Amino acid sequence: MKPRVFSGMQPSGNLHIGNYLGALKNWVRIQSDYEAIFCIVDMHAVTVYQNPDELRAKIRELAALYLAAGIDPKQSTIMVQSAVPAHAELCWMLTCVTPVGWLQRMTQFKAKAAEQETVGDGLLQYPVLMAADILLYQAAIVPVGEDQTQHLELTRDIAQRFNSLYGETFVMPETSLPSVGARIMGLDDPTKKMSKSAPGSGHAVALLDPPATIRKKIMRATTDSAPGVDFDVLSPGVANLLGIFQAFSGWDDAQMRAHFSGMRYGELKKQVADMVIANLEPLQKRYNEIVSEKGYVDAVLREGAERVTPIANATVELVKRRMGLYTPC
Ligand code: ATP
Ligand code: LTN
């Protein structure tokens, strides 16, 4: 049997090249080596307010983007978190073994809480729900971008604590980061991670941006005042542009140095824009085909939920038995 992989994204905001290079591209690459489950984590999205109609549409848009990027629904499972109630059930059980101090220390919680007037309990519980997503399927590997490594450490801590309290139950999941592209920075401010929820039209390249918009955003990206690329002193903005190119092209470090050393920033940006556009155009074409096929995305999601529900329910059943919760004889 192949080892299991699980990962997910929130159906909030517009998917950008950071999400693609940090996670989605990796998912496509490894899907044939594993039994893969790719989730649309809508219950994570509602930890901050979402407009209900927009959320409904975003769930399907995200599923179509998974498919357009190359997730093969015959090989891998695409499913929506809220369609499988076991995610919420296991989350509660894990909540009961998680010290609140562990959650208050999470950097994502601290950053997101600082943006809110009143902080919902869901925002604090966010990483426990993420742990439930992963542990429910006894996933061995979790491919994510670098910003999720702390949440994955917490997942392992929660699993360990549960195992030591109630006996060996959960597999310890490993984090899988891409070698290039694990942390793409904002084009307008390369000291901040490119993020779906960040404001500003020059911040992120969305996967569905038209080519002219992609080019405009990249040509306006923040660099520095040096005349051209010097690999010995790369400013964050230039390093970010080179990282984007390298992640899309798959070039090694020697190829990057040989090609870009001394290049003026205007030319660098032009070549980065060409590379991004050439990679996103086929994805966008497939996306348009997928959404024009009425009912297709919903059928994929329905089948995905059906496929994983027995696995998820079996884990909840096991956890109930371990904890002494009621299970009918
Ligand atoms: P938000 O800003 O709303 O929190 P996000 O852009 O961080 O959203 P998520 O849905 O939280 O997006 O993340 C989906 C996946 O994309 C995760 O695996 C995450 O690690 C990865 N990811 C997000 N931003 C980046 C980035 N800038 N570079 C590389 N990977 C990223
Ligand atoms: N918190 C993750 C999304 C997420 C996830 C998961 C990723 C929710 N559950 C399980 C991997 C495995 C994020 O990217 N913001």
Side-chain angles (χ1 to χ4, degrees), residues 9 47 76 96 105 144 172 239 249 264 271 296:
M9 288 195 198
T47 55
S76 306
C96 297
R105 274 201 293 275
V144 285
M172 288 301 143
S249 66
R264 292 192 163 276
Q271 295 200 13
Y296 175 60

Side-chain angles (χ1 to χ4, degrees), residues 6-10 19 23 27 37 39-42 44-45 66 81 87 108 112 126-127 129-135 139 141-145 147-148 151-152 155 193 196:
F6 183 96
S7 197
M9 288 195 198
Q10 303 181 72
N19 302 127
W27 300 0
I37 303 170
C39 190
I40 292 154
V41 293
D42 55 347
H44 277 103
Y66 284 5
Q81 190 183 36
H87 287 252
Q108 185 176 301
K112 296 225 164 174
Y126 181 111
L129 179 58
M130 180 163 163
D133 296 340
I134 297 163
L135 301 176
I141 310 282
V142 185
V144 285
D147 61 309
Q148 294 304 312
H151 285 161
L152 277 157
T155 299
K193 168 187 102 90
K196 285 193 244 131

Side-chain angles (χ1 to χ4, degrees), residues 280-296:
L280 293 190
E281 266 185 335
L283 184 152
Q284 295 178 353
K285 191 167 162 275
R286 282 196 297 274
Y287 176 84
N288 289 328
E289 287 163 8
I290 288 160
V291 293
S292 68
E293 206 176 316
K294 231 180 158 288
Y296 175 60

Side-chain angles (χ1 to χ4, degrees), residues 20 32 38 88 273:
Y20 179 72
S32 55
F38 299 117

Side-chain angles (χ1 to χ4, degrees), residues 1-17:
M1 228 172 69
K2 290 177 181 176
R4 199 171 281 145
V5 156
F6 183 96
S7 197
M9 288 195 198
Q10 303 181 72
S12 53
N14 293 323
L15 227 65
H16 52 70
I17 55 173

Side-chain angles (χ1 to χ4, degrees), residues 11 27 30 40 52 59 70 86 93 128 145 174 199 226 234 245 247 266 268 292 294 302 312 322 329:
W27 300 0
I30 64 175
I40 292 154
I59 290 167
M93 296 158 194
V128 187
E174 263 177 48
L234 289 178
F245 185 99
L268 164 69
S292 68
K294 231 180 158 288
R302 212 174 310 119
R322 288 279 148 86
C329 296

